[in-house]
């Protein structure tokens, strides 16, 4: 028998307090003074209610690197972060480039039950950039894949990229491009600029990202397909996206929480916890990304949650793995970078972290408005407390969190996945 | 008591540099007393070494060098010929290096003829524990092989921790271990005096370049 | 307090002058029959070399031994972390051996920073990747000062592969601290894109800069750079940026020619220039021992280090 909940006095998308009745997996009613026989009451005084968050970019590492994360630990971390759906990236071992692998990941997600897991299919076989993977088979599989990406590798061959964009039109798919011109970034270690010049680390020029985005926007326009740009990191990329959108082309983009808060000055101590792809950029880039997320040029916040075992980071900078975990801190970082600065209100946060990512991923049961009849995917978030980030408390298997030791606002109090609490009173259920 | 745990003060007997006489410090020797003491030492050296024929004066940095220079001038006045003199920095040979931050080094300058087969007279301002002189003897060992080594000191304040004694003493000054003795010399401090003070001065800070006697770009 | 020498920027002006003055005093030791001081007796210095560099290792070894330190040479060449022990595990081993100082040479920029977070002793950077080589800058400044006197206002021209040169980075920082005016000369491909943020000037024209230089320092240029299109051919590089006898004649009378070694004779420097009396190349080697003795003494000689910077863990 499924449980019924009455959420009392939550500020829906930050508006006036109201009650929500969650029953049989849906929001049965929204109003004031709600009550129902046998319902469990959740006191949401002072809490903001948001639609369950949707992540377009998560590395769950399973199959292959279960030492870093599994579908179960990764989705537990997602639930703690307020997520009810994540897109699991394809760069696993084996690569998610067949219907078999994507269905395996999808099933593992269902079994774990902490949030919906939507596998991302690889664009090319083995993410090697040479030959298209069986995109149609993945789309038709039980996992119903709509987002395809060689993330970690750029589909740099213009002809392959064109074909991929064209091909996925048949099932309304989208190519999520990791924009990185490979020749311009051979051996690259960090953003190319003042800091890299001083630290003697091979530079990763902004233009290596921007050139690919410009090319892909033109290709998407030419074949009339959907392009999604992963983890945009430079001010120049924002300019190109703004231009492409002004043309009415079907281009969307995401930004990570870390690119909204951190800049390349942090690399000065050579601590690889700050090593990530794309690299942390300058403070000017951070400002441009915030502005672009606020005005909608960038559609979504996506975590690029990239767990790594300790030994992959406790090394010299050059040998360290790239990536940061982010599921459990994303909402707090967005509050700090966007809400506290007045750039985005809670309705804006819901749009960039739930509505739009669900739409890009073509998810029907996620990213719905908090109104009667919607699936009961709800986050209750307390924006008031400020706490120091302590990764030892995380549900993720990995600890490579660049926000460790930072004081950030907010706390996820409860997450409901189709009416069932995955997190209640801040604790995993 | 284990030597390693000896309090820093007696093992570091050299007077604080650059400080002028402050309240609570009593002048026990004034400029004329110092002049007379050096003259007497000069004559004793001539007597003991039969005319200072093979003598090389080596002053221990910093004030010992000033005293060596003055003694050399006195000897030259009397003998009518220059007496070789030089400076010796014993920092790297000290046994109390680990008790304080690393210090700037002073100059070690030997006169042209070196010290082999010479009678080296080490010159310092204050003789206290004897550890500075021990360090100087070690340093000499690495520099050559003198025929003999003697020690000239302006003030002997007692409290030896090593079997060392001076051959020439300007003044014996009975002190308590807690008192401080500071020698001021015009070339270093603007005036000549020996001050007796009540308590130990705080240990000096980390090594800085001594302002007076070094210039950039030698 | 734990302090390290990882970047030339770790040295204040007072620190740098203290090292140079100390090196000056210690240089006398080289002329004595007994080239040894008891100062660091009982201290342990580990030379941790992940790259072949016989000259730098020998220089540090001689410096440490002249100060009576115990020296442990740990050669970890071919140190791909995937194959061998990780730097962290090596650090823990050194820690267990009670190293008072670790001199590290490593192919990865920033490796000394990482090491400093894992060991208790002082870390001395003997060259990390394309980052820095602060003791080379100290011995270069020491060499310049012995030849030319005070460096304030002196014009130093550094020529060659600045982008990949740890020597150039450390020299720019240290010489700036000491008040010299540095000009970098290189093809634009071999300068960092953000070089304008460095405290120095930049020129692409060696011939224009030479007549105003008190010091010209030639950097080693690796032939392999040609393959990554940094310059078209070695011949063209050497014609535009090499120091030959004709260019040497454009220097003022008093000016000196330096090279950190190892040289590519005939590429960045002509043989007759390298061997000319204005070249300080062999002096630099001798001065290296004095400069490194000074660094070791000032970091390890006292109860706590007198120079260097604390690195946040």
């Amino acid at each position: 028998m499924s449980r019924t909940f009455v959420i009392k006095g939550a500020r829906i998308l930050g508006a006036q307090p109201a009650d929500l009745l969650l029953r049989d997996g849906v929001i049965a009613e929204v109003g004031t003074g709600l009550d129902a026989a046998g319902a469990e009451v959740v006191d949401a005084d002072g809490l903001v209610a948001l639609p369950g968050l949707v992540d377009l970019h998560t590395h769950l590492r399973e199959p292959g690197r279960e030492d870093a994360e599994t579908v179960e630990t990764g989705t537990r971390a997602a639930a703690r972060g307020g997520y009810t759906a994540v897109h699991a990236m394809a760069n696993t071992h084996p690569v998610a480039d067949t219907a078999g692998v994507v269905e395996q990941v999808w099933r593992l997600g269902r079994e774990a039950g902490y949030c919906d897991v939507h596998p991302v299919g690889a664009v090319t076989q083995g993410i090697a950039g040479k030959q298209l993977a069986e995109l149609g088979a993945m789309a038709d599989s039980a996992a119903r894949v709509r987002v395809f990406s060689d993330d970690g590798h750029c589909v740099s061959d213009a002809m392959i990229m064109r074909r991929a964009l064209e091909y996925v039109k048949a099932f309304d798919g989208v190519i999520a491009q990791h924009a990185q011109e490979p020749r311009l970034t051979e051996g690259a270690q960090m953003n190319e600029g003042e800091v890299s010049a001083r630290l003697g680390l091979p530079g990763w020029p902004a233009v290596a990202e921007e050139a690919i985005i410009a090319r892909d926007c033109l290709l998407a326009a030419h074949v009339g397909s959907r392009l999604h740009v992963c983890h945009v990191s430079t001010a120049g990329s924002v300019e190109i996206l703004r231009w492409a959108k002004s043309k009415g082309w079907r281009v969307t983009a995401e930004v990570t929480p870390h690119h909204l808060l951190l800049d390349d000055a942090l690399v000065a101590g050579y601590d690889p916890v700050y090593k990530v792809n794309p690299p942390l950029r300058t403070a000017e880039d951070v400002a441009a990304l915030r502005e672009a997320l606020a005005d909608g040029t960038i559609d979504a916040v996506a975590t690029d949650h990239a767990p790594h075992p300790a030994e992959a980071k406790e090394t010299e900078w050059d040998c360290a793995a790239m990536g940061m975990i982010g599921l459990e801190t994303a909402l707090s970082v967005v509050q700090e970078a966007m809400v506290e600065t007045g750039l985005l209100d809670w309705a804006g946060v819901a749009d960039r972290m739930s509505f739009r990512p669900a739409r890009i991923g073509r998810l029907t049961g996620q990213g719905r408005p908090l109104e009667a009849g919607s699936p009961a995917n709800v986050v209750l978030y307390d924006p008031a407390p400020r706490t120091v980030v302590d990764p030892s408390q995380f549900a993720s298997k990995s600890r490579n969190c660049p926000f460790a030791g930072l004081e950030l606002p907010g706390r996820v109090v409860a997450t409901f996945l189709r009416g069932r609490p995955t997190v209640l009173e801040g604790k995993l259920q | 008591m284990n030597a390693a745990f000896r309090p820093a003060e007696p093992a570091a007997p050299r007077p604080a540099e650059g400080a002028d006489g402050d309240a609570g410090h009593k002048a026990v020797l004034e400029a004329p007393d110092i002049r007379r003491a050096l003259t007497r030492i000069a004559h004793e050296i001539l007597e003991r070494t039969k005319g200072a024929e093979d003598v090389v004066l080596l002053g221990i940095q910093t004030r010992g060098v000033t005293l060596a220079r003055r003694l050399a001038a006195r000897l030259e006045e009397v003998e009518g010929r220059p007496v070789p003199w030089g400076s010796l920095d014993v920092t790297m040979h000290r046994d109390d290096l680990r008790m304080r931050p690393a210090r700037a080094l002073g100059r070690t300058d030997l006169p042209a003829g070196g010290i082999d087969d010479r009678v080296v007279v080490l010159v310092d301002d204050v003789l206290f524990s004897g550890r500075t002189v021990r360090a100087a003897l070690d340093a000499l060992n690495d520099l050559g092989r003198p025929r003999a080594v003697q020690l000239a000191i302006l003030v002997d304040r007692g409290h030896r921790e090593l079997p060392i004694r001076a051959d020439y003493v300007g003044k014996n000054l009975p002190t308590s271990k807690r008192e401080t003795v500071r020698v001021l010399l015009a070339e270093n401090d603007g005036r000549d005096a020996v001050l007796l003070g009540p308590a130990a001065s705080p240990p000096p800070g980390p090594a800085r370049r001594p302002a007076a006697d070094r210039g950039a770009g030698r | 307090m734990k302090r390290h020498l990882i970047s030339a920027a770790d040295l204040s002006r007072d620190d740098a002058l203290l090292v140079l003055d100390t090196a000056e005093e210690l240089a006398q030791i080289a002329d004595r029959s007994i080239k040894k001081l008891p100062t660091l007796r009982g201290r342990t210095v580990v030379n941790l070399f992940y790259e072949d560099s016989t000259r730098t290792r020998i220089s540090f070894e001689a410096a440490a031994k002249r100060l009576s330190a115990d020296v442990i040479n740990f050669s970890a060449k071919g140190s791909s972390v995937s194959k061998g022990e990780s730097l962290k595990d090596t650090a823990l081993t050194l820690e267990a051996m009670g190293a008072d100082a670790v001199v590290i040479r490593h192919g990865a920029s920033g490796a000394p920073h990482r090491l400093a977070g894992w060991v208790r002793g002082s870390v001395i950077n003997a060259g990390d990747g394309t980052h820095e080589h602060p003791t080379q800058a100290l011995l270069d400044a020491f060499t310049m000062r012995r030849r030319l006197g005070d460096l304030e206002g002196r014009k130093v021209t550094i020529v060659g592969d600045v982008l990949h040169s740890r020597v150039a980075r450390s020299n720019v920082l240290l010489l700036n601290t000491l008040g010299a005016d540095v000009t970098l000369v290189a093809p634009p491909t071999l300068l960092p894109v953000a070089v304008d943020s460095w405290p120095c000037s930049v020129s692409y024209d060696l011939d224009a800069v030479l007549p105003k230089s008190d010091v010209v320092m030639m950097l080693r240029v690796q032939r392999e750079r040609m393959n990554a299109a940094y310059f078209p051919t070695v011949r063209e590089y050497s014609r535009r940026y090499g120091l030959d006898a004709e260019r040497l004649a454009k220097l003022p009378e008093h000016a000196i020619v330096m090279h950190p070694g190892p040289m590519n004779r005939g590429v960045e420097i002509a043989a007759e220039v390298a061997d000319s009396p204005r070249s300080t190349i062999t002096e630099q080697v001798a001065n290296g021992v004095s400069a490194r003795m000074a660094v070791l003494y000032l970091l390890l000689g006292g109860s706590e280090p007198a120079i260097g910077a604390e690195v946040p863990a």
Side-chain angles (χ1 to χ4, degrees), chain A residues 194 197 200 270 314-316, chain C residues 88 106 109 114 130-131 169 197:
Chain A
E194 253 177 60
Y270 295 94
E314 282 184 341
T315 70
E316 303 86 314
Chain C
K88 183 174 185 182
H106 200 292
S109 301
R114 301 293 288 156
T130 54
H131 177 225
R169 274 175 185 74
S197 64

Side-chain angles (χ1 to χ4, degrees), chain B residues 79-208:
Chain B
E79 287 297 287
R81 56 170 183 82
V83 174
W85 69 279
S87 64
L88 189 61
D89 181 68
V90 303
T91 308
M92 303 295 261
H93 294 266
R94 298 194 68 94
D95 62 5
D96 62 350
L97 265 177
R98 308 277 164 87
M99 296 176 177
R100 292 195 283 169
R103 277 152 276 197
L105 301 183
R107 186 115 260 231
T108 294
D109 261 329
L110 299 188
I115 57 169
D116 286 351
D117 279 328
R118 301 300 194 106
V119 175
V120 168
V121 179
L122 292 172
V123 185
D124 205 358
D125 50 359
V126 179
L127 181 58
F128 186 12
S129 65
R131 287 172 188 272
T132 301
V133 175
R134 188 216 48 87
L137 290 170
D138 277 0
L140 274 186
N141 227 1
D142 289 351
L143 293 170
R145 189 184 178 282
R147 194 174 78 229
V149 181
Q150 299 176 354
L151 176 60
I153 217 82
L154 181 61
V155 176
D156 184 346
R157 59 169 295 191
H159 305 293
R160 216 72 77 241
E161 294 168 0
L162 295 170
I164 281 169
R165 64 167 182 79
D167 300 272
Y168 314 102
V169 179
K171 176 157 177 76
N172 281 301
L173 189 63
T175 58
S176 94
K177 246 185 161 175
R178 292 191 49 78
E179 286 172 309
T180 60
V181 175
R182 290 159 67 180
V183 172
L184 305 182
L185 295 174
E187 296 90 324
N188 307 89
D189 312 292
R191 68 162 168 138
D192 277 11
V194 175
L195 304 180
L196 185 61
S201 49
R208 285 279 81 108

Side-chain angles (χ1 to χ4, degrees), chain C residues 157 183-186 202-210 240-241 247:
Chain C
T157 302
T183 302
L184 301 175
V185 179
V202 170
S203 169
Y204 306 134
D205 184 354
L206 182 56
D207 293 305
V209 176
L210 287 179
R240 290 175 69 87
Y241 298 99
R247 284 205 168 105

Side-chain angles (χ1 to χ4, degrees), chain A residues 61 272-273 275-277 304 306-308 313 321-325 400:
Chain A
R61 301 292 186 226
V273 78
K275 185 174 178 179
V276 66
N277 178 354
D304 196 2
H308 290 290
K313 290 288 191 180
M322 292 190 267
M324 305 170 167
I325 56 172
N400 51 310

Side-chain angles (χ1 to χ4, degrees), chain A residues 60 62 69-77 108 111-112 114 395:
Chain A
L60 294 179
E62 191 175 358
E69 196 84 281
T70 62
V71 171
E72 169 152 5
T73 59
T75 53
R76 285 164 69 94
L108 287 168
E111 283 160 18
Y114 288 97

